Amino acid sequence: LSLSLSLSVFLSCFPSPSLVFFFSLHGVLVVMADRGGIVYTALWENDSVLTHLHVKENMDLSELARNLFAKIDCGYDHRKSFSPYQGHTFHYIVEDEVCFLAATVDGFPLRIVFAYLDRAKEEFFNKYAGTSKWKQYKLFLAEEMEFYSNNPDADKIRNLQNKVDDVTSVMRENIEVVLERGDRLEDLEAKSAQLQDNALIFHKSAKKLKCKLCKQNARMTIICIIVAIVVIGVIAGIIALAVVLSS
């Protein structure tokens, strides 16, 4: 009777038909939904045994969860998703030996269900761990299940994070391009310096060659003048000898 009364009071707080049942047995909190993306959630700690409660016919997720609980190692922090089974996929997070589990319909985005589990985990450790405020926590989980299952803003939050990640990635790529461009500029500077050195060497070599050619030209000019003088002297001597002989 008390369970039925609690269910009635709880359901009256949520006009949406997507949320249906919740229950808590042996330290295990369970919230179940009739439709939507996240259709089942539960958590347990201290290796509490899950006592299955048939809160809805043809909804065997609690039994599946109980079987999965036995396979989950809560000795270390980790997160994981199980392969789809009978149209549903189970996802869980273990932290500080507390397991937070959710079941979704196949194809529901992982980023959203794990965002929900992270939200459930943070709220539990911040406000409810070590307390007996299960009713408030149940209401919180129910609201979060509804939000992450049906509210487009839940995905917008993740999209915003993705955009931030994209911007960060682009910035990293730009930094890499700038660094690579800096290396290229350094290479260009080195090549420019080398070209300047080569130009200076060429200029010096050209100057030396020019001086050498000038000296050779001067030498040839002097030789030509001497030869011309000798030739003229010989011709003048021959002419003078011819005149003497003719007289």
Side-chain angles (χ1 to χ4, degrees), residues 50-67:
L50 175 64
T51 300
H52 179 62
L53 176 63
H54 292 280
V55 294
K56 182 174 176 58
E57 294 182 359
N58 300 323
M59 179 67 76
D60 58 349
L61 296 180
S62 296
E63 181 66 23
L64 292 175
R66 184 175 64 84
N67 294 332

Side-chain angles (χ1 to χ4, degrees), residues 7-196:
L7 289 175
S8 299
V9 173
F10 172 71
L11 290 177
S12 64
C13 298
F14 297 94
S16 172
S18 60
L19 297 173
V20 180
F21 299 106
F22 68 86
F23 62 92
S24 177
L25 292 173
H26 296 282
V28 181
L29 174 64
V30 177
V31 179
M32 302 191 70
D34 186 36
R35 63 173 180 82
I38 304 173
V39 296
Y40 174 90
T41 190
L43 81 143
W44 85 103
E45 59 181 332
N46 300 325
D47 296 328
S48 298
V49 178
L50 175 64
T51 300
H52 179 62
L53 176 63
H54 292 280
V55 294
K56 182 174 176 58
E57 294 182 359
N58 300 323
M59 179 67 76
D60 58 349
L61 296 180
S62 296
E63 181 66 23
L64 292 175
R66 184 175 64 84
N67 294 332
L68 292 177
F69 287 160
K71 300 177 181 179
I72 296 175
D73 183 4
C74 294
Y76 67 102
D77 296 349
H78 64 288
R79 58 182 61 203
K80 184 178 180 182
S81 295
F82 288 99
S83 300
Y85 180 75
Q86 294 183 356
H88 297 89
T89 304
F90 283 86
H91 320 267
Y92 72 88
I93 296 176
V94 174
E95 185 167 320
D96 292 341
E97 298 184 355
V98 180
C99 181
F100 303 83
L101 181 142
T104 63
V105 295
D106 287 351
F108 192 72
L110 288 177
R111 64 180 181 274
I112 299 180
V113 65
F114 277 107
Y116 160 76
L117 289 173
D118 283 326
R119 185 81 177 93
K121 172 176 64 68
E122 292 171 1
E123 191 75 4
F124 174 78
F125 286 117
N126 289 336
K127 295 183 180 180
Y128 301 104
T131 70
S132 58
K133 299 178 180 180
W134 290 109
K135 181 178 180 180
Q136 293 89 330
Y137 190 54
K138 295 170 189 176
L139 294 174
F140 168 79
L141 289 181
E143 291 174 352
E144 294 302 302
M145 286 179 68
E146 169 69 13
F147 175 76
Y148 283 94
S149 295
N150 302 310
N151 196 319
D153 290 337
D155 203 12
K156 288 181 180 179
I157 294 174
R158 303 306 299 172
N159 288 337
L160 180 60
Q161 182 61 47
N162 291 336
K163 290 180 180 179
V164 172
D165 294 340
D166 292 340
V167 171
T168 303
S169 178
V170 171
M171 291 179 62
R172 289 177 180 173
E173 292 178 359
N174 290 338
I175 291 173
E176 292 177 357
V177 170
V178 169
L179 293 176
E180 183 179 357
R181 186 176 300 172
D183 293 338
R184 292 179 180 177
L185 290 176
E186 290 179 358
D187 292 341
L188 289 176
E189 289 177 357
K191 291 180 180 179
S192 176
Q194 185 177 0
L195 287 175
Q196 289 179 354

